[in-house]
Amino acid sequence: MDADSHAALTALAGECRATLFMVIQAGLAALLSRLGAGDDIPLGSPIAGRTDDALDDLVGFFVNTLVLRADLSGNPTFRQLLERIRTTDLAAYAHQDIPFERLVEILNPERSTARNPLFQVMFAINNTAEPDLELPGLTVRIDPVPTKAARFDLTFGLTERTAPDGSPDGIEGHVEYSTDLFDASTVAAMAERLVAFLREAAADPDRPIEQIDVLGPQEHRLLDHDWQGPRREVLVRPIPDLVERHAARAPEAPAVLFEGSTLSYGELNAQANRLARLLTARGVGPEHLVAVAIPRSPELIVALLAVLKAGAAYLPIDPKYPAGRITYMLQDARPALILANHHTHLPQTDIPRLNLDDPHTTEELSNHPDHNLTDTERPTPLTPQHPAYVIYTSGSTGRPKGVAVTHASAANIAAAAEDEIGQTTADSRVLQFASPSFDGAFWEIFVTLMNGAAIVMAPADRLLPGPSLAEVVAEHGVTHMALPPSALAVMPDDALPPGTVVFVVGEACPPDLVDRLSRTCRLLNAYGPTEATVCATVSEPLSGA
């Protein structure tokens, strides 16, 4: 880092009654957070341990290790973050005589030989002048001896340079890293990001840290130009609009196939319109949430579409899920209403429940018209930015988390499916295999309906991978499906007709399975977190050895 940047950081430290160490610690903690390390960044730092002037000339090793935590929650400005770090560091310095080993003993974290117990990144600044060593008759120099073994995942060791007049003259240093975890190019890029981040922070310390750029010019060029494929204009409309255009264009076309019965687009649209009006009559509309706990059946599709037509977002509840998980989802999401059937068993809750097979409900539905709803019938107009559905993920902390996905995102994935998958004709048949509470079910149901294809449904016991599922595939002429490799592995060799589009999802796909299936099927590997609307990446068709 050049002298001007060094001087700017030193000046910022003076303004904030902090030290250069604290300023660079703030930059490093903010950078690690922006790179995905979270909002609580603990850094280890060595400290001299000579808290009494009487110890200055005493020979011996007094160095201790402090753990300095940085709180980055709430997207603070760099100045605010520096103030937090200053407060934390001063408190730590006041207790620097407590041995690091004692701290570990008190906190008793889960131990592993693979990592330090309280921090994985070490940060140190050497701001003391090199000693002038002279011995009679000898030439003496300081010669660092590398250990060739990383003591921590990352160690940032910096040294201040000063001009003869004592003014800042630049900062230099090194990054030691574990080669089990990082490539040299990754660490070099991280060091470059740190320098750039600190320069921007010093130039405008009152900017929120999330607005400080961490990408270099080459990365911007890759993102903005080199990695951009051809742009496609997407019809961004609420999901019901995209389904209704197919109902208007081909009302007799099959929308849902289930155990020998067929629900056409016209029938599906009309039934969903009646139910949507029943929901709006109960005050349901945009920004509301409706839980849907109906077993696999055409009624499930009608209910989901009706919720969307009313403008609300649906929360799919698989009745086969454990009672504890269902209770948590309902308590956490607090939907306005639960749509279910009489025989659907759910844990006790105070949320209103509407059984669609109740005679009173059936009579009320018959009194509502079946033409498409307009925004004048909804409590507020429905826009593509409104939530369409909420899926509870497994949760990286062990506690499920609800993720809301908008209509606009759904329109994008439908357009991608139309372009890349060939799921665009009334002859296409898409297997509905995933649990309704899994986001993959949205792709199977609504990406299919938004593209005018037909959903193939079956009771859960007929979807067991093997001969039973193969029978469903053959019976309905399934053309598209998404299955985990473990399910595909137990399917009979002739279960999938030639040309079937098969997405392998959820697990690593063994090479021998790729080799077997890719000979006759269009095999694609799909991946995506719920937050990315089901699917973030899809491979080119896979081929065997």
Side-chain angles (χ1 to χ4, degrees):
M1 187 173 284
D2 59 29
D4 290 342
S5 298
H6 185 187
L9 293 176
T10 302
L12 177 60
E15 288 176 23
C16 299
R17 299 180 303 142
T19 63
L20 180 68
F21 175 92
M22 295 174 183
V23 173
I24 298 180
Q25 180 197 347
L28 178 56
L31 175 65
L32 294 174
S33 178
R34 291 289 306 280
L35 295 179
D39 291 338
D40 182 8
I41 307 295
L43 299 178
S45 181
I47 193 162
R50 297 175 183 264
T51 55
D52 191 309
D53 292 344
L55 301 175
D56 287 354
D57 296 326
L58 188 63
V59 175
F61 191 77
F62 294 81
V63 173
N64 190 20
T65 301
L66 296 182
V67 184
L68 305 175
R69 296 175 69 176
D71 174 15
L72 289 99
S73 61
N75 188 25
T77 66
F78 191 79
R79 192 187 300 274
Q80 290 169 337
L81 174 61
L82 182 54
E83 177 59 31
R84 294 180 188 179
I85 283 178
R86 176 183 180 275
T87 301
T88 300
D89 286 6
L90 291 178
Y93 297 154
H95 298 86
Q96 63 180 278
D97 55 331
I98 299 176
F100 176 78
E101 294 79 7
R102 177 59 179 156
L103 188 62
V104 173
E105 180 183 338
I106 294 171
L107 296 177
N108 193 27
E110 181 180 345
R111 303 302 297 272
S112 169
T113 57
R115 64 178 184 271
N116 184 277
L118 298 182
F119 65 89
Q120 284 76 52
V121 179
M122 171 68 81
F123 170 55
I125 289 185
N126 179 18
N127 53 7
T128 58
E130 289 189 359
D132 184 13
L133 302 177
E134 293 184 4
L135 291 174
L138 295 175
T139 300
V140 182
R141 73 181 185 206
I142 294 177
D143 196 3
V145 180
T147 62
K148 297 185 178 180
R151 293 161 292 178
F152 307 99
D153 294 356
L154 289 167
T155 299
F156 289 80
L158 307 181
T159 300
E160 284 190 83
R161 294 195 308 265
T162 56
D165 62 358
S167 61
D169 195 34
I171 300 172
E172 60 186 19
H174 68 274
V175 185
E176 179 182 276
Y177 63 95
S178 168
T179 55
D180 288 341
L181 302 175
F182 298 99
D183 294 328
S185 59
T186 303
V187 178
M190 194 179 299
E192 292 171 3
R193 293 185 207 277
L194 178 60
V195 172
F197 189 96
L198 286 169
R199 283 177 179 150
E200 287 204 37
D204 186 4
D206 295 309
R207 193 192 323 178
I209 58 174
E210 288 185 3
Q211 294 181 12
I212 299 178
D213 198 358
V214 297
L215 299 179
Q218 183 178 0
E219 290 169 316
H220 277 293
R221 186 167 58 252
L222 287 173
L223 290 172
D224 297 338
H225 301 287
D226 297 1
W227 288 349
Q228 292 292 332
R231 293 185 63 84
R232 182 195 194 282
E233 292 301 322
V234 175
L235 180 61
V236 179
R237 300 289 301 161
I239 294 170
D241 292 3
L242 300 177
V243 178
E244 288 165 3
R245 63 175 181 164
H246 292 291
R249 184 182 304 162
E252 301 303 321
V256 183
L257 306 175
F258 179 79
E259 296 293 272
S261 66
T262 299
L263 185 68
S264 71
Y265 268 87
E267 293 168 333
L268 169 64
N269 195 52
Q271 293 180 28
N273 284 332
R274 289 194 178 97
L275 179 53
R277 286 188 167 88
L278 187 151
L279 294 175
T280 58
R282 284 164 166 73
V284 171
E287 298 295 341
H288 289 147
L289 191 61
V290 175
V292 179
I294 297 174
R296 297 171 187 271
S297 62
E299 289 74 25
L300 170 63
I301 310 302
V302 171
L304 296 176
L305 180 56
V307 172
L308 296 175
K309 282 174 172 284
Y314 68 80
L315 170 66
I317 302 289
D318 189 336
K320 295 185 179 297
Y321 269 21
R325 182 180 176 93
I326 293 176
T327 297
Y328 173 81
M329 292 164 64
L330 293 175
Q331 290 177 345
D332 186 61
R334 299 304 301 175
L337 187 68
I338 300 174
L339 296 183
N341 289 334
H342 265 117
H343 55 270
T344 305
H345 177 72
L346 295 174
Q348 187 66 34
T349 177
D350 60 352
I351 299 171
R353 172 170 170 164
L354 178 65
N355 290 324
L356 298 183
D357 55 354
D358 186 284
H360 296 291
T361 304
T362 304
E363 181 180 356
E364 187 176 354
L365 285 170
S366 66
N367 293 327
H368 287 292
D370 64 1
H371 58 267
N372 294 332
L373 278 75
T374 64
D375 276 334
T376 59
E377 298 178 83
R378 301 180 181 108
T380 58
L382 174 61
T383 73
Q385 284 67 46
H386 279 121
Y389 65 91
V390 172
I391 294 291
Y392 272 77
T393 67
S394 56
S396 58
T397 62
R399 174 176 292 183
K401 300 178 179 66
V403 177
V405 177
T406 67
H407 288 259
S409 300
N412 276 321
I413 193 172
E418 188 174 11
D419 286 346
E420 304 297 336
I421 304 168
Q423 186 181 301
T424 58
T425 71
D427 296 328
S428 299
R429 301 290 182 266
V430 182
L431 178 67
Q432 205 285 287
F433 177 83
S435 162
S437 288
F438 178 57
D439 67 344
F442 174 83
W443 176 83
E444 296 168 338
I445 295 170
F446 282 106
V447 171
T448 299
L449 294 178
M450 287 187 285
N451 281 321
I455 307 164
V456 173
M457 303 189 79
D461 57 353
R462 293 199 64 198
L463 294 175
L464 294 175
S468 178
L469 178 57
E471 184 180 276
V472 173
V473 170
E475 181 180 318
H476 295 285
V478 170
T479 61
H480 297 74
M481 66 180 69
L483 293 175
S486 56
L488 287 165
V490 298
M491 296 288 285
D493 289 342
D494 59 350
L496 306 182
T500 302
V501 178
V502 181
F503 289 88
V504 288
V505 297
E507 304 164 358
C509 191
D512 60 334
L513 187 61
V514 173
D515 186 50
R516 176 164 68 88
L517 294 178
S518 63
R519 296 175 184 177
T520 58
C521 299
R522 187 165 184 242
L523 194 64
L524 305 168
N525 187 14
Y527 166 79
T530 300
E531 293 82 350
T533 315
V534 185
C535 190
T537 62
V538 178
S539 71
E540 295 289 336
L542 304 178
S543 59

